[in-house]
Structure formats: C-alpha cells, structure tokens
Amino acid sequence: MRIPLSWLREYVDLPATETGRDVQEKLVSAGLEVETVEQLGADLKGPLVVGQVLTIEELEGFKKPIRFCTVDVGQANGTGEPQEIVCGARNFAVGDKVVVVLPGATLPGGFSIAARKTYGKTSHGMICSTDELGMGDDGTHGIIVLPPETEVGRDAIELLELVDEVLDIAVTANRGDCLSIRGVAREAAIAYGLPLRDPALIDVPAPNAYGYPVQLSDPFGCDRFTARTITGLRPEARSPIWLQRRLQKVGMRPISLAVDVTNYVMMELGQPLHAYDRSLVQGTIGVRRAEEGEKLVTLDGVERKLHAEDLVITDERGPIGLAGVMGGANTEIADHEVTEDGVNGTTDVVIEAAHFDAVSVARTARRHKLLSEASRRFERGVDPQAAAAAAQRTVDLLVLLAGGTAEAGVTEIIAPSAPRTITLPAGHPDKVAGVDYGRETVVRRLQEVGCDVYGQDELIVTAPSWRPDLTEPNDLAEEVIRLEGYENLPSTLPKPPSGRGLTHRQRLHRRVGRALAGAGYVEAPNYPFVSEQVFDQLGLDADDPARRVVKLVNPLSDEEPALRTTLLPGLLNALRRNDGRGSHDLTLFETGLVFLPRAERGTAVHLPVDRRPTDEEIAALDAALPEQPRHVAVVLAGAREQAGWWGKGRPADWADAVEAARTVAGETGAELIVRKGQYGPWHPGRCAELVVVADGTERVVGHAGELHPRVLKALGLPERTCAMELDLDALETAGDGVPQAPAISTFPVATQDVALVVDRPVPAAEVEAALREGAGELLESIRLFDVYENAEQLGEGRKSLAYALRFRAADRTLTVDEASAARDAAVTLAGERTGAVLRG
C-alpha cells in the first residue's frame, strides 16, 4: 500500500519537521513493514509553469510529425513574450492549457533543460507529459492537458503536487485495515500519541424505504449492503487535478470521474465501492450465489463461466458483477462522448458499498485468476461499519465535482450479528512477553487500537469492527507488545538442559550426508512440493502407492499442489537445471522427508501456547499428520571420473548408484542385499532392488540403477542418467546403528578364485548369495571381478562369473585343505541353486 505523506497529514497533525524516513521508523517500530520511502520530485527544479498554446505550425519533411508551437507562459520567462517550443505530441490543440518547462529547469532523472536547435527551429523549453514529470500513468500517454480554468503562468510544481514522499508498506494478510489511508493514519496517530481525524466519522442519513431496491439471498456471503443513487451528473465532468494526483501517487490510473471517486474513497477508507450506470440496471439489485454455468462479461472484457460458489450481484437479467472482485460490462459507467446532440454519457449512477465474506471473495478471485484492488481488501478484512460512510463520501464528492443531486432514498440492509468479545486476563500480555506492563498499560493500548475494555483482573474486550484479526487473547497480547515496542523486549537466551546433544537419528543423518559428500556428491535440498503429472513422467503404474499424495489447501503454486512421496522429482529437476547451465558432470544427493497419507484421515488438534503440550496431545497431533519417513536419494550424469593425463576417465553408470546405496547402508550398520529388480522410472534391465532383513523378514527399501530412456525424454534429462533412492528410516531399523570398522587379523588370508558358468539370465547376486552361504563362517569376503561371455567357448546363452573368495579364521592359520573344502562347499551349493558349473 502506497501512502503519500501529504495525504496522511490530512488526518494526523504530524510535526512539520517529520520526514518520510522519520514516519517510516515510527511505523516499523509499531509493527508495519515500510519497505521504501519514495522521494517524488527530489531532483525536480523549476521553472515549471502553466502555459496556453497560442499557435501550432506543422513542420514537413521529417520522418515523424513535428509541431512548432508558441505558448503563452505569462511572466514566467521574464519577458511576457510567447515561448517557442518544438513538440512531437498530437493530443493538444490551440487554446489548450499545458505544462511547460523552461530553460534552466531540471526534470526527474537529472535531465537539464536548455534552449536547443532541432528540426530547423530553436526550442526554448518543453511541453511536458506525465512520464517526463514522473507522475505515473494517466491513460493518455501524451501531453498533460489542464482544465481550461487553470491560470496561465501558475507554478505547475505546486499545482500538480509533484514534490511529496510516498511510503510503500507491505501489508500482511491479517492487517487489511492498513490497506487504506485511514488505517495507516490510525497507526501513525498511535505511534506519535496524536489525535486522529477519522475520515469515516461523517454524518450519514438513516436508511429509509425510498432507496434503490436491494435483495440479499445469501446473508452469509453478504451481511451488509448500502445503495445510494445520484442523478443529473455532468457527463463531461473530469476528475480534478488533486484527485488524479492522489490516485497516481497510490499507484492507480485515473479513468473517469465516477470511477476515480470510488477508487479514491476506497483508498481513503478501505471500503471497496462500485458505481453502476442506473439506466443499464434493470430492476432490483440482488446478491446470491451463481448458478452453475452462468456467464458474465467483466469490466476487463473477458467472458467468465461462473461457478456455483461464486457470489454475484444481479438484476432482473442475471449477473451484473462478481461480488467483491469486479463489476460487469453490462452496467459499466459510460465515458462522455460529444455528438451533434450534445454530450452523452452516464448521468445517473447507483453506488454500491457492501461487505462480503472474505473467504468467498478470495476463492472467486483465484478461481477466475482475477485479482483486483477490491478483492485484495475484502479477502484481508474490510470494516463493515464503514460501508455507509464510504457511500456518503462518494455521494458528496460526485455531487461536488459533477453537479449531481443525491436522491433522498437510502438503502441499507444489515444481517444481524453480535459484537466479537474476548476474555483476556489482565496479566496475559505480561506472561507472553516476559515484561511487567501492568493493567493500566494493557487497557490503554487496547483502547488506542479501538477496543472497548471492561473489567479488572479479567478484561472483557470488544474488538473494533476494522480489526477482524483480533479473535483470541494472544491477538490482543500481540497488540500490546507491538505498541509498547518489540525493541523493548528483553533478550534472553534459552537454557537447554545439558548432556542431551543430538539424537541417534540426527547423528545418523549427519553421517550419511558426510559419507555421500566424501564420495563426491553435492547436497541439493529441494522444495517438498510436486505436481501429480510428474508421476506419469516417472512411469509409475496407475496403482502405485507413490501416487497417493497429500494435497495442500493453500499451495505456494497451483502447479505443485501436492507433497512429495519420493525425492527424485526435485533432484532430477535440479540436475536438469544445472545441466542446462553448462554443468554436465553432476552427482547430487538429498536427504529429506517424504509424505505418505494415512489410511484414515484425522483432524489435527490445536496445541496450547501457554504451556508444554502433554504427550497425549502431541501423540494426537502426530496421528493426524501423514507418515513422514526420511529418504535419501542420489542422481548422477556425465563423467564419474574425469579424463586427463592419468587416463581416459569413466562415465557414471548404474554401478555408481548401487555403490552409493552401499555407502549409505554402511553408515547404518545394515547389510544391504542387491538383486535384480524392476520399478517405475528405472530401466528394467539396469535396475537393482535394494533389500534388508529386519526381524527375519526381507523388506525392499529402495532401488538403484539407470533411468529409463522414456523418463529421460519426458523430464529432459541427459542420456544414461542414473539414480538411487532408499528409505533411510527402514535402513536404520534394520541396522544396529553402529558402523562396522574393518577387522584386522594377525592370521594370514587364504584366497581362492572360482569361475562359474551359468545361464545368462541368472543374476550374479543369486550366485554370490549361494557362494556366501555355502562357504560358511570361514568366508571373510567375496568379490565378483570378471564377467565373460563367449558362445564358442561357453555355449549359447551362457556367461562366466569369476569370484575372488577370501577365507580366514579368527584363531588359527587355515590349511589349504580347509580353504579348499570351504570353496568346494560354496561351489556345490551354487550349483544346486543356480545351475552353476565350474568353468573348464
């Protein structure tokens, strides 16, 4: 919200010496986020005056139209003679009053003005547009044409209010009252301890039976509706300069008098309004929910198909506006048009000042992707009791500026409602802040924000109508604390109990991260949000449990409304992004939570803030949340080992992804079983299924390998990209939690190599498992060191797997016979289970 300091001073008598920076400091101390203070006209220097165009000569022979003008600037040029100026604009004529900058002046941006020869003439100054003066958009994109009654030679800097300071405030979602000059003026008055001249405190006529007929069919969606009628407006009436300038300073574009006045009052009081052309409204104005499939063309010219939850304004024909969002084109105020019969345009208007349900307006605005200044205010909370004053203020301005007549009829429909009262222990703010404010300070501060306060030890507080965010005792405590000054709160460091340190789970996660970083991986944390379309891109089956997601009610992005069930989408996006930026050799990892919906949905309880929640309350909260196991994942692409003088290097492949899984398992102390698998995004012939044994039962905890070409194409990934993902919590359960250091024996090792021939489809992991079991306790390690295929030597469809078996006893040196016997037992069991035979 942009707040001109000159406008703010109308309602609060700020000290004359106070600058925008001073006011910013005060408002920030009171809890408002003032992002910037814009200095309008800081580098502007006159003479800048009002002139009247006397003559216009069209210059020929140039690529664009050029005009040589003489302009009367009075005595501003020191001679009283007409000023000769060259100008390329076309939107002014002889007799028009314009803004002229004379030689010696400086325009915003440090642009100095001097007499100069151009297009064969000497131009003594410039006729100005709004852009050149830094005024903002006025809709003309041309020269400023002033009202005919403007005095020639008058100082245009003062006339156009070009020198000012504008505070830009980032208004939070709970402070809709500060989306108005009135709301910020109230905060400034409190901060300075000065009285507020409330612009909403004006005389308002009582409602009567003669007002424009209005019918509310949905009192929940609209609990207050005020309608006023004005007739006899001059269609040619224009918004005065002061009104246009104030709209420009707050960031709005002047359009027409009726629209400008409603926008002005909205910015002044925070109450959105709408003006209907009375001649285009047919019958009673109504407020109801839309019928599914109804259509409305809004003021932006777009035809919108309405939803049954949309709140609409109607007449006898149907919808004429989206309540609280935007009006309809079928009742739009018409601009004045000069015809042979005179000046045509809107002469009679109906003013609407209503209060709509915040949630309904917010949903309608997002559903139609139609965010407006009105919806921005309604969804944050508008003062319902300001509607009548805003309507009256609009009527007064239109009558003053356009010569209309306010009809005596006043329509005001109000749905009954009780005031919001909150019971607050007088010492509650003290408890929250850790500061002894005392009852008098608490009462005084609450009264300053507009609350009615009664009681002694237990205060009965009635929140003001303009603060819908005050609903609980903690809200009131926050008001007291912020007005007393956050900077005055004592700084105390919490005292944690000694001797606790990290939990076992936290230590494990850190070890895993360090192990992967030591293996050359770079950590890449990602947002936990995904789109459901990514599961199609990953090639997951329609009934895959990973497709069951937890959806957010208010996602940061409508394109990613769900919480992730796998870490791969975020990591693969990071890999694609970095590959697109020229980093082609990538090894990334992430450890993080995934979110799995429970079979039964529960409702989370609200935990107390004035004490530690009980174990039962925490357990009830956990039971309502989705399951959140921690996963670890890696992705690889490009070279795993760089080429150089030392060798050719090596590209990353599926074996690296499997090795990353083994690295993680080693940190948990779990024994990882690797065998052939097939799942989702992985290539069916290059996918390893990762298994652990927990409580005597095998459990699949993840997969590793090369991604399927279809997945690479769908996600735009480099060729032969590999990935691995593990359930880290399941690994922790299967492991003993202590990484095993290598054992060092004083006895020598006995090595036996065996080459086994098996059918090509037989996985090496099955052969290895059989060898490991058959060899017994003497086997220290087993390693596959060669895979050989040759149809002539081994036979069609056969392959040779060569293993190095290391045998060692803990208490003696093994004999050759013992090592050979263990090897033979291993080969025998492998032959029985897999059909393996010794090669040769």
Side-chain angles (χ1 to χ4, degrees):
M1 177 68 191
R2 291 170 57 85
I3 305 292
L5 193 58
S6 59
W7 198 351
L8 190 65
R9 288 182 183 277
E10 284 198 8
Y11 309 127
V12 184
D13 290 327
L14 299 174
T17 56
E18 288 292 282
T19 65
R21 297 290 183 190
D22 298 328
V23 177
Q24 177 189 29
E25 184 177 345
K26 285 283 190 179
L27 293 179
V28 168
S29 178
L32 295 185
E33 186 180 348
V34 184
E35 293 188 323
T36 60
V37 178
E38 184 179 353
Q39 306 287 334
L40 300 184
D43 51 357
L44 177 64
K45 187 180 77 172
L48 187 74
V49 299
V50 176
Q52 183 172 22
V53 180
L54 302 178
T55 64
I56 297 177
E57 177 188 350
E58 300 289 345
L59 301 182
E60 305 293 339
F62 300 102
K63 293 182 179 179
K64 60 180 182 179
I66 298 296
R67 312 166 93 186
F68 181 64
C69 312
T70 58
V71 185
D72 178 12
V73 294
Q75 296 298 318
N77 57 4
T79 64
E81 297 294 323
Q83 200 80 2
E84 296 180 339
I85 299 174
V86 175
C87 183
R90 313 291 296 176
N91 69 313
F92 64 96
V94 172
D96 283 344
K97 302 288 180 65
V98 294
V99 178
V100 179
V101 57
L102 299 177
T106 303
L107 294 183
F111 183 60
S112 299
I113 302 300
R116 64 189 185 97
K117 191 169 184 179
T118 179
Y119 297 103
K121 301 285 187 178
T122 299
S123 182
H124 299 273
M126 208 166 78
I127 303 175
C128 297
S129 67
T130 55
D131 289 339
E132 290 160 344
L133 297 180
M135 294 171 57
D137 183 15
D138 66 348
T140 64
H141 300 291
I143 294 302
I144 303 170
V145 178
L146 300 171
E149 63 272 14
T150 309
E151 178 186 354
V152 171
R154 181 178 175 181
D155 183 2
I157 296 178
E158 178 186 356
L159 173 68
L160 300 177
E161 301 176 16
L162 296 178
V163 178
D164 202 349
E165 294 182 275
V166 179
L167 286 70
D168 194 350
I169 301 176
V171 179
T172 54
N174 65 317
R175 292 302 305 271
D177 60 305
C178 289
L179 287 173
S180 65
I181 304 294
R182 178 196 185 202
V184 177
R186 184 182 295 109
E187 292 295 318
I190 296 172
Y192 280 92
L194 297 171
L196 169 72
R197 290 187 292 275
D198 192 340
L201 294 180
I202 58 177
D203 293 332
V204 177
N208 53 52
Y210 310 109
Y212 199 95
V214 174
Q215 180 178 0
L216 300 185
S217 302
D218 190 338
F220 176 78
C222 176
D223 57 9
R224 185 181 294 256
F225 196 106
T226 300
R228 301 290 300 275
T229 305
I230 309 171
T231 60
L233 297 174
R234 298 194 311 273
E236 72 278 6
R238 295 174 55 188
S239 300
I241 292 174
W242 65 266
L243 179 59
Q244 294 186 45
R245 287 297 294 133
R246 286 193 168 177
L247 289 178
Q248 288 172 333
K249 289 178 184 179
V250 298
M252 302 193 77
R253 179 171 62 87
I255 298 174
S256 64
L257 178 60
V259 176
D260 291 350
V261 167
T262 57
N263 285 337
Y264 176 85
V265 175
M266 175 178 67
M267 290 297 174
E268 182 181 56
L269 302 182
Q271 168 66 51
L273 302 110
H274 190 70
Y276 301 94
D277 188 326
R278 183 178 180 180
S279 65
L280 300 178
V281 180
Q282 299 181 9
T284 301
I285 291 178
V287 182
R288 61 170 171 82
R289 299 288 172 175
E291 297 176 6
E292 192 68 42
E294 277 189 309
K295 294 182 179 179
L296 170 69
V297 178
T298 46
L299 288 172
D300 56 358
V302 177
E303 183 179 76
R304 304 185 184 275
K305 187 176 180 181
L306 303 181
H307 188 275
E309 291 185 3
D310 291 336
L311 195 67
V312 293
I313 313 297
T314 64
D315 64 4
E316 291 180 353
R317 297 166 296 177
I320 59 174
L322 275 175
V325 181
M326 186 173 285
N330 51 358
T331 55
E332 182 179 7
I333 299 292
D335 289 335
H336 78 279
E337 180 183 4
V338 180
T339 66
E340 295 180 357
D341 301 328
V343 179
N344 293 329
T346 298
T347 57
D348 302 340
V349 298
V350 178
I351 301 299
E352 164 209 303
H355 185 260
F356 301 111
D357 174 57
V359 174
S360 176
V361 171
R363 288 178 176 172
T364 296
R366 282 156 179 75
R367 188 180 297 118
H368 294 283
K369 294 181 173 59
L370 187 61
L371 302 180
S372 63
E373 290 289 346
S375 69
R376 185 181 174 211
R377 283 161 176 77
F378 276 123
E379 66 186 42
R380 285 166 172 77
V382 168
D383 182 3
Q385 295 185 14
Q392 182 62 43
R393 180 81 166 121
T394 305
V395 168
D396 292 343
L397 285 172
L398 286 176
V399 170
L400 173 68
L401 301 176
T405 301
E407 290 194 351
V410 177
T411 301
E412 187 169 16
I413 302 176
I414 304 174
S417 62
R420 290 178 290 112
T421 59
I422 306 166
T423 301
L424 175 74
H428 184 65
D430 300 7
K431 222 185 257 188
V432 173
V435 176
D436 186 13
Y437 292 126
R439 179 187 177 279
E440 290 186 3
T441 299
V442 171
V443 171
R444 175 172 57 84
R445 288 303 190 182
L446 292 179
Q447 289 175 339
E448 285 178 346
V449 299
C451 296
D452 292 328
V453 186
Y454 302 95
Q456 293 298 320
D457 294 337
E458 289 285 329
L459 303 179
I460 307 300
V461 181
T462 302
S465 58
W466 57 83
R467 291 297 301 275
D469 59 310
L470 301 182
T471 59
E472 298 179 356
N474 288 320
D475 298 329
L476 301 177
E478 182 182 4
E479 291 300 297
V480 175
I481 295 169
R482 76 176 181 87
L483 294 179
E484 283 295 305
Y486 291 120
E487 68 277 8
N488 296 323
L489 293 177
S491 298
T492 56
L493 291 174
K495 297 179 180 178
S498 61
R500 298 246 178 127
L502 298 177
T503 65
H504 170 74
R505 190 167 186 251
Q506 290 170 330
R507 287 195 297 270
L508 171 62
H509 297 161
R510 292 195 179 186
R511 286 204 311 270
V512 168
R514 284 195 294 265
L516 289 174
Y521 290 85
V522 176
E523 188 171 15
N526 294 284
Y527 287 117
F529 313 115
V530 296
S531 66
E532 293 183 87
Q533 289 74 24
V534 76
F535 300 125
D536 296 327
Q537 296 171 325
L538 290 176
L540 299 186
D541 294 336
D543 58 349
D544 194 297
R547 285 183 176 269
R548 293 184 60 242
V549 296
V550 177
K551 289 189 177 179
L552 300 173
V553 176
N554 56 341
L556 293 179
S557 168
D558 292 337
E559 296 179 357
E560 295 181 330
L563 291 172
R564 66 189 178 190
T565 56
T566 167
L567 301 182
L568 289 183
L571 271 179
L572 293 174
N573 280 338
L575 186 140
R576 181 184 65 241
R577 188 164 53 248
N578 282 278
D579 181 72
R581 293 172 179 173
S583 298
H584 304 302
D585 303 324
L586 296 162
T587 50
L588 308 178
F589 84 94
E590 179 180 9
T591 61
L593 301 179
V594 298
F595 305 85
L596 310 177
R598 298 182 186 272
E600 295 183 3
R601 295 180 59 183
T603 303
V605 297
H606 289 281
L607 297 182
V609 297
D610 58 346
R611 60 175 174 81
R612 184 191 183 280
T614 64
D615 293 340
E616 291 76 14
E617 289 172 331
I618 296 175
L621 178 63
D622 287 339
L625 298 175
E627 295 182 23
Q628 301 175 51
R630 183 172 288 269
H631 281 203
V632 57
V634 305
V635 293
L636 308 93
R640 186 70 176 103
E641 296 177 3
Q642 294 290 337
W645 58 265
W646 52 85
K648 295 182 179 179
R650 179 177 65 82
D653 61 16
W654 60 269
D656 294 303
V658 173
E659 184 60 27
R662 288 197 172 101
T663 300
V664 172
E667 293 299 322
T668 66
E671 184 177 352
L672 192 66
I673 301 173
V674 180
R675 63 193 183 198
K676 181 180 179 181
Q678 182 174 345
Y679 176 70
W682 281 277
H683 193 297
R686 298 167 187 164
C687 174
E689 185 177 74
L690 309 175
V691 180
V692 294
V693 177
D695 299 327
T697 304
E698 286 191 354
R699 177 178 175 182
V700 177
V701 293
H703 295 83
E706 185 178 314
L707 297 181
H708 198 288
R710 284 198 298 269
V711 174
L712 302 182
K713 183 178 180 181
L715 295 176
L717 300 171
E719 293 183 358
R720 312 303 289 267
T721 296
C722 301
M724 178 278 292
E725 183 166 12
L726 281 171
D727 185 335
L728 193 52
D729 287 353
L731 271 178
E732 181 183 5
T733 303
D736 58 13
V738 180
Q740 296 298 316
I744 300 176
S745 175
T746 57
F747 297 100
V749 67
T751 302
Q752 297 275 355
D753 293 345
V754 294
L756 303 178
V757 179
V758 295
D759 291 336
R760 186 179 297 165
V762 176
E766 292 185 13
V767 178
E768 180 180 323
L771 289 172
R772 187 182 298 277
E773 183 178 343
E777 296 180 354
L778 294 178
L779 181 67
E780 181 180 80
S781 67
I782 181 171
R783 179 174 62 89
L784 175 67
F785 66 85
D786 185 52
V787 179
Y788 177 70
E789 294 182 13
N790 189 311
E792 294 181 1
Q793 297 182 14
L794 304 178
E796 191 67 36
R798 305 279 281 175
K799 64 181 178 182
S800 170
L801 303 175
Y803 292 91
L805 284 67
R806 292 168 57 92
F807 298 98
R808 195 191 317 251
D811 56 350
R812 66 188 189 281
T813 300
L814 293 178
T815 65
V816 174
D817 291 340
E818 286 178 312
S820 298
R823 180 203 62 188
D824 294 342
V827 172
T828 299
L829 187 58
E832 292 174 358
R833 291 190 177 176
T834 65
V837 296
L838 279 171
R839 180 178 170 188

